[in-house]
mmCIF file of all heavy atoms in Angstrom:
data_model
loop_
_atom_site.group_PDB
_atom_site.id
_atom_site.type_symbol
_atom_site.label_atom_id
_atom_site.label_comp_id
_atom_site.label_asym_id
_atom_site.label_seq_id
_atom_site.Cartn_x
_atom_site.Cartn_y
_atom_site.Cartn_z
ATOM 1 N N THR F 1406 -4.225 -5.992 24.723
ATOM 2 C CA THR F 1406 -5.372 -6.582 25.321
ATOM 3 C C THR F 1406 -5.943 -5.769 26.524
ATOM 4 O O THR F 1406 -7.176 -5.729 26.727
ATOM 5 C CB THR F 1406 -4.990 -8.054 25.791
ATOM 6 O OG1 THR F 1406 -4.655 -8.804 24.673
ATOM 7 C CG2 THR F 1406 -6.171 -8.702 26.443
ATOM 8 N N SER F 1407 -5.051 -5.173 27.267
ATOM 9 C CA SER F 1407 -5.457 -4.411 28.418
ATOM 10 C C SER F 1407 -6.325 -3.253 28.111
ATOM 11 O O SER F 1407 -7.120 -2.794 28.922
ATOM 12 C CB SER F 1407 -4.179 -3.846 29.237
ATOM 13 O OG SER F 1407 -3.474 -3.034 28.280
ATOM 14 N N LEU F 1408 -6.254 -2.826 26.817
ATOM 15 C CA LEU F 1408 -7.096 -1.711 26.409
ATOM 16 C C LEU F 1408 -8.342 -2.221 25.684
ATOM 17 O O LEU F 1408 -9.393 -1.564 25.626
ATOM 18 C CB LEU F 1408 -6.349 -0.730 25.500
ATOM 19 C CG LEU F 1408 -5.105 -0.069 26.201
ATOM 20 C CD1 LEU F 1408 -4.467 0.907 25.187
ATOM 21 C CD2 LEU F 1408 -5.493 0.735 27.472
ATOM 22 N N SER F 1409 -8.225 -3.287 25.064
ATOM 23 C CA SER F 1409 -9.290 -3.788 24.093
ATOM 24 C C SER F 1409 -10.286 -4.749 24.680
ATOM 25 O O SER F 1409 -11.462 -4.695 24.194
ATOM 26 C CB SER F 1409 -8.665 -4.338 22.796
ATOM 27 O OG SER F 1409 -7.874 -5.530 23.181
ATOM 28 N N SER F 1410 -9.854 -5.618 25.585
ATOM 29 C CA SER F 1410 -10.783 -6.679 25.963
ATOM 30 C C SER F 1410 -11.005 -6.658 27.486
ATOM 31 O O SER F 1410 -11.840 -7.501 27.943
ATOM 32 C CB SER F 1410 -10.236 -7.976 25.454
ATOM 33 O OG SER F 1410 -8.972 -8.262 26.062
ATOM 34 N N ALA F 1411 -10.245 -5.946 28.218
ATOM 35 C CA ALA F 1411 -10.436 -6.070 29.684
ATOM 36 C C ALA F 1411 -11.666 -5.268 30.042
ATOM 37 O O ALA F 1411 -12.119 -4.374 29.346
ATOM 38 C CB ALA F 1411 -9.227 -5.372 30.421
ATOM 39 N N PRO F 1412 -12.385 -5.720 31.142
ATOM 40 C CA PRO F 1412 -13.579 -5.039 31.636
ATOM 41 C C PRO F 1412 -13.282 -3.579 31.871
ATOM 42 O O PRO F 1412 -12.211 -3.232 32.289
ATOM 43 C CB PRO F 1412 -13.937 -5.827 32.899
ATOM 44 C CG PRO F 1412 -13.247 -7.060 32.801
ATOM 45 C CD PRO F 1412 -12.053 -6.873 32.034
ATOM 46 N N THR F 1413 -14.295 -2.746 31.723
ATOM 47 C CA THR F 1413 -14.061 -1.331 31.898
ATOM 48 C C THR F 1413 -14.958 -0.925 33.097
ATOM 49 O O THR F 1413 -16.162 -1.118 33.068
ATOM 50 C CB THR F 1413 -14.441 -0.531 30.743
ATOM 51 O OG1 THR F 1413 -13.651 -0.972 29.616
ATOM 52 C CG2 THR F 1413 -14.212 1.012 30.962
ATOM 53 N N PRO F 1414 -14.450 -0.286 34.124
ATOM 54 C CA PRO F 1414 -12.978 0.056 34.359
ATOM 55 C C PRO F 1414 -12.257 -1.202 34.828
ATOM 56 O O PRO F 1414 -12.764 -1.916 35.721
ATOM 57 C CB PRO F 1414 -12.969 1.173 35.361
ATOM 58 C CG PRO F 1414 -14.267 0.880 36.185
ATOM 59 C CD PRO F 1414 -15.263 0.368 35.252
ATOM 60 N N ALA F 1415 -11.068 -1.413 34.352
ATOM 61 C CA ALA F 1415 -10.318 -2.556 34.770
ATOM 62 C C ALA F 1415 -9.420 -2.203 36.019
ATOM 63 O O ALA F 1415 -8.977 -1.060 36.022
ATOM 64 C CB ALA F 1415 -9.381 -3.038 33.576
ATOM 65 N N THR F 1416 -9.225 -3.125 36.845
ATOM 66 C CA THR F 1416 -8.240 -2.874 37.937
ATOM 67 C C THR F 1416 -6.867 -2.963 37.423
ATOM 68 O O THR F 1416 -6.691 -3.575 36.321
ATOM 69 C CB THR F 1416 -8.454 -3.917 39.035
ATOM 70 O OG1 THR F 1416 -8.157 -5.176 38.603
ATOM 71 C CG2 THR F 1416 -9.983 -3.950 39.518
ATOM 72 N N ASN F 1417 -5.950 -2.504 38.212
ATOM 73 C CA ASN F 1417 -4.590 -2.589 37.777
ATOM 74 C C ASN F 1417 -4.111 -3.988 37.655
ATOM 75 O O ASN F 1417 -3.283 -4.415 36.756
ATOM 76 C CB ASN F 1417 -3.659 -1.800 38.746
ATOM 77 C CG ASN F 1417 -3.731 -0.284 38.430
ATOM 78 O OD1 ASN F 1417 -4.618 0.182 37.808
ATOM 79 N ND2 ASN F 1417 -2.777 0.401 39.080
ATOM 80 N N SER F 1418 -4.610 -4.872 38.526
ATOM 81 C CA SER F 1418 -4.288 -6.277 38.517
ATOM 82 C C SER F 1418 -4.793 -6.933 37.211
ATOM 83 O O SER F 1418 -4.018 -7.738 36.577
ATOM 84 C CB SER F 1418 -4.803 -7.037 39.643
ATOM 85 O OG SER F 1418 -4.205 -6.641 40.898
ATOM 86 N N GLU F 1419 -5.954 -6.595 36.748
ATOM 87 C CA GLU F 1419 -6.496 -7.140 35.546
ATOM 88 C C GLU F 1419 -5.750 -6.530 34.358
ATOM 89 O O GLU F 1419 -5.516 -7.381 33.338
ATOM 90 C CB GLU F 1419 -7.982 -6.683 35.400
ATOM 91 C CG GLU F 1419 -8.903 -7.417 36.422
ATOM 92 C CD GLU F 1419 -10.248 -6.791 36.433
ATOM 93 O OE1 GLU F 1419 -10.465 -5.625 36.076
ATOM 94 O OE2 GLU F 1419 -11.239 -7.569 36.842
ATOM 95 N N ARG F 1420 -5.407 -5.339 34.331
ATOM 96 C CA ARG F 1420 -4.627 -4.787 33.288
ATOM 97 C C ARG F 1420 -3.226 -5.417 33.101
ATOM 98 O O ARG F 1420 -2.751 -5.799 32.122
ATOM 99 C CB ARG F 1420 -4.345 -3.255 33.403
ATOM 100 C CG ARG F 1420 -5.620 -2.373 33.309
ATOM 101 C CD ARG F 1420 -5.297 -0.955 33.545
ATOM 102 N NE ARG F 1420 -4.259 -0.426 32.608
ATOM 103 C CZ ARG F 1420 -3.532 0.696 32.902
ATOM 104 N NH1 ARG F 1420 -3.658 1.351 34.016
ATOM 105 N NH2 ARG F 1420 -2.709 1.110 31.956
ATOM 106 N N ARG F 1421 -2.593 -5.697 34.326
ATOM 107 C CA ARG F 1421 -1.254 -6.354 34.340
ATOM 108 C C ARG F 1421 -1.427 -7.812 33.786
ATOM 109 O O ARG F 1421 -0.614 -8.232 32.987
ATOM 110 C CB ARG F 1421 -0.738 -6.344 35.738
ATOM 111 C CG ARG F 1421 0.613 -7.024 35.949
ATOM 112 C CD ARG F 1421 1.712 -6.378 35.006
ATOM 113 N NE ARG F 1421 2.820 -7.324 34.695
ATOM 114 C CZ ARG F 1421 4.034 -7.122 35.179
ATOM 115 N NH1 ARG F 1421 4.295 -6.067 35.942
ATOM 116 N NH2 ARG F 1421 4.927 -7.891 34.767
ATOM 117 N N ALA F 1422 -2.463 -8.507 34.298
ATOM 118 C CA ALA F 1422 -2.704 -9.865 33.821
ATOM 119 C C ALA F 1422 -2.904 -9.956 32.281
ATOM 120 O O ALA F 1422 -2.365 -10.860 31.645
ATOM 121 C CB ALA F 1422 -3.873 -10.483 34.521
ATOM 122 N N ALA F 1423 -3.657 -9.049 31.776
ATOM 123 C CA ALA F 1423 -3.890 -9.018 30.331
ATOM 124 C C ALA F 1423 -2.614 -8.802 29.598
ATOM 125 O O ALA F 1423 -2.359 -9.413 28.554
ATOM 126 C CB ALA F 1423 -4.956 -7.930 30.022
ATOM 127 N N LEU F 1424 -1.685 -7.836 30.004
ATOM 128 C CA LEU F 1424 -0.442 -7.637 29.311
ATOM 129 C C LEU F 1424 0.422 -8.855 29.463
ATOM 130 O O LEU F 1424 1.072 -9.259 28.501
ATOM 131 C CB LEU F 1424 0.207 -6.452 29.963
ATOM 132 C CG LEU F 1424 -0.296 -4.999 29.640
ATOM 133 C CD1 LEU F 1424 0.185 -4.003 30.556
ATOM 134 C CD2 LEU F 1424 0.077 -4.643 28.183
ATOM 135 N N ASP F 1425 0.427 -9.496 30.577
ATOM 136 C CA ASP F 1425 1.287 -10.655 30.757
ATOM 137 C C ASP F 1425 0.783 -11.824 29.959
ATOM 138 O O ASP F 1425 1.617 -12.798 29.627
ATOM 139 C CB ASP F 1425 1.330 -11.118 32.272
ATOM 140 C CG ASP F 1425 2.167 -10.150 33.082
ATOM 141 O OD1 ASP F 1425 3.032 -9.509 32.524
ATOM 142 O OD2 ASP F 1425 1.978 -10.044 34.357
ATOM 143 N N ASN F 1426 -0.465 -11.937 29.583
ATOM 144 C CA ASN F 1426 -0.973 -12.917 28.778
ATOM 145 C C ASN F 1426 -0.543 -12.835 27.281
ATOM 146 O O ASN F 1426 -0.427 -13.766 26.531
ATOM 147 C CB ASN F 1426 -2.569 -12.933 28.765
ATOM 148 C CG ASN F 1426 -3.147 -13.563 29.989
ATOM 149 O OD1 ASN F 1426 -2.497 -14.387 30.608
ATOM 150 N ND2 ASN F 1426 -4.323 -13.216 30.362
ATOM 151 N N GLN F 1427 -0.157 -11.491 26.923
ATOM 152 C CA GLN F 1427 0.277 -11.354 25.554
ATOM 153 C C GLN F 1427 1.878 -11.149 25.396
ATOM 154 O O GLN F 1427 2.434 -11.533 24.397
ATOM 155 C CB GLN F 1427 -0.290 -9.978 25.017
ATOM 156 C CG GLN F 1427 -1.710 -10.147 24.483
ATOM 157 C CD GLN F 1427 -2.051 -8.788 23.854
ATOM 158 O OE1 GLN F 1427 -2.353 -7.879 24.520
ATOM 159 N NE2 GLN F 1427 -2.084 -8.773 22.530
ATOM 160 N N PHE F 1428 2.556 -10.781 26.510
ATOM 161 C CA PHE F 1428 3.903 -10.439 26.367
ATOM 162 C C PHE F 1428 4.686 -11.059 27.534
ATOM 163 O O PHE F 1428 4.143 -11.442 28.579
ATOM 164 C CB PHE F 1428 4.114 -8.889 26.357
ATOM 165 C CG PHE F 1428 3.321 -8.226 25.320
ATOM 166 C CD1 PHE F 1428 2.093 -7.708 25.566
ATOM 167 C CD2 PHE F 1428 3.858 -8.191 24.084
ATOM 168 C CE1 PHE F 1428 1.386 -7.036 24.546
ATOM 169 C CE2 PHE F 1428 3.190 -7.509 23.022
ATOM 170 C CZ PHE F 1428 1.883 -6.925 23.336
ATOM 171 N N ASP F 1429 6.018 -11.148 27.396
ATOM 172 C CA ASP F 1429 6.881 -11.704 28.387
ATOM 173 C C ASP F 1429 7.470 -10.518 29.190
ATOM 174 O O ASP F 1429 8.629 -10.030 28.865
ATOM 175 C CB ASP F 1429 8.062 -12.521 27.728
ATOM 176 C CG ASP F 1429 9.003 -13.099 28.747
ATOM 177 O OD1 ASP F 1429 8.716 -12.995 29.983
ATOM 178 O OD2 ASP F 1429 9.995 -13.734 28.428
ATOM 179 N N PHE F 1430 6.740 -10.032 30.180
ATOM 180 C CA PHE F 1430 7.215 -8.943 30.908
ATOM 181 C C PHE F 1430 7.514 -9.399 32.377
ATOM 182 O O PHE F 1430 7.437 -8.657 33.367
ATOM 183 C CB PHE F 1430 6.094 -7.879 30.986
ATOM 184 C CG PHE F 1430 5.912 -7.105 29.680
ATOM 185 C CD1 PHE F 1430 4.655 -6.589 29.345
ATOM 186 C CD2 PHE F 1430 7.010 -6.952 28.849
ATOM 187 C CE1 PHE F 1430 4.460 -5.833 28.198
ATOM 188 C CE2 PHE F 1430 6.757 -6.270 27.602
ATOM 189 C CZ PHE F 1430 5.537 -5.681 27.321
ATOM 190 N N GLY F 1431 7.802 -10.746 32.506
ATOM 191 C CA GLY F 1431 7.999 -11.269 33.838
ATOM 192 C C GLY F 1431 9.024 -10.682 34.698
ATOM 193 O O GLY F 1431 8.949 -10.785 35.898
ATOM 194 N N GLN F 1432 10.057 -10.102 34.130
ATOM 195 C CA GLN F 1432 11.200 -9.524 34.868
ATOM 196 C C GLN F 1432 10.827 -8.153 35.419
ATOM 197 O O GLN F 1432 11.576 -7.640 36.373
ATOM 198 C CB GLN F 1432 12.393 -9.456 34.014
ATOM 199 C CG GLN F 1432 12.946 -10.759 33.546
ATOM 200 C CD GLN F 1432 13.352 -11.719 34.702
ATOM 201 O OE1 GLN F 1432 14.044 -11.258 35.597
ATOM 202 N NE2 GLN F 1432 12.868 -13.012 34.648
ATOM 203 N N ILE F 1433 9.715 -7.658 35.040
ATOM 204 C CA ILE F 1433 9.269 -6.259 35.493
ATOM 205 C C ILE F 1433 8.163 -6.441 36.488
ATOM 206 O O ILE F 1433 7.078 -6.953 36.140
ATOM 207 C CB ILE F 1433 8.902 -5.409 34.340
ATOM 208 C CG1 ILE F 1433 10.082 -5.272 33.369
ATOM 209 C CG2 ILE F 1433 8.531 -4.063 34.883
ATOM 210 C CD1 ILE F 1433 9.695 -4.522 32.113
ATOM 211 N N ILE F 1434 8.427 -6.109 37.729
ATOM 212 C CA ILE F 1434 7.362 -6.365 38.761
ATOM 213 C C ILE F 1434 6.731 -5.032 39.118
ATOM 214 O O ILE F 1434 7.270 -3.967 39.193
ATOM 215 C CB ILE F 1434 8.109 -6.833 40.032
ATOM 216 C CG1 ILE F 1434 8.791 -8.120 39.820
ATOM 217 C CG2 ILE F 1434 7.174 -7.016 41.250
ATOM 218 C CD1 ILE F 1434 9.801 -8.698 40.905
#
Side-chain angles (χ1 to χ4, degrees):
T1406 297
S1407 60
L1408 300 180
S1409 61
S1410 62
T1413 304
T1416 66
N1417 282 15
S1418 294
E1419 290 170 336
R1420 290 178 61 197
R1421 177 63 202 244
L1424 285 163
D1425 286 338
N1426 284 336
Q1427 277 188 287
F1428 304 96
D1429 181 5
F1430 291 150
Q1432 296 300 312
I1433 301 172
I1434 300 171

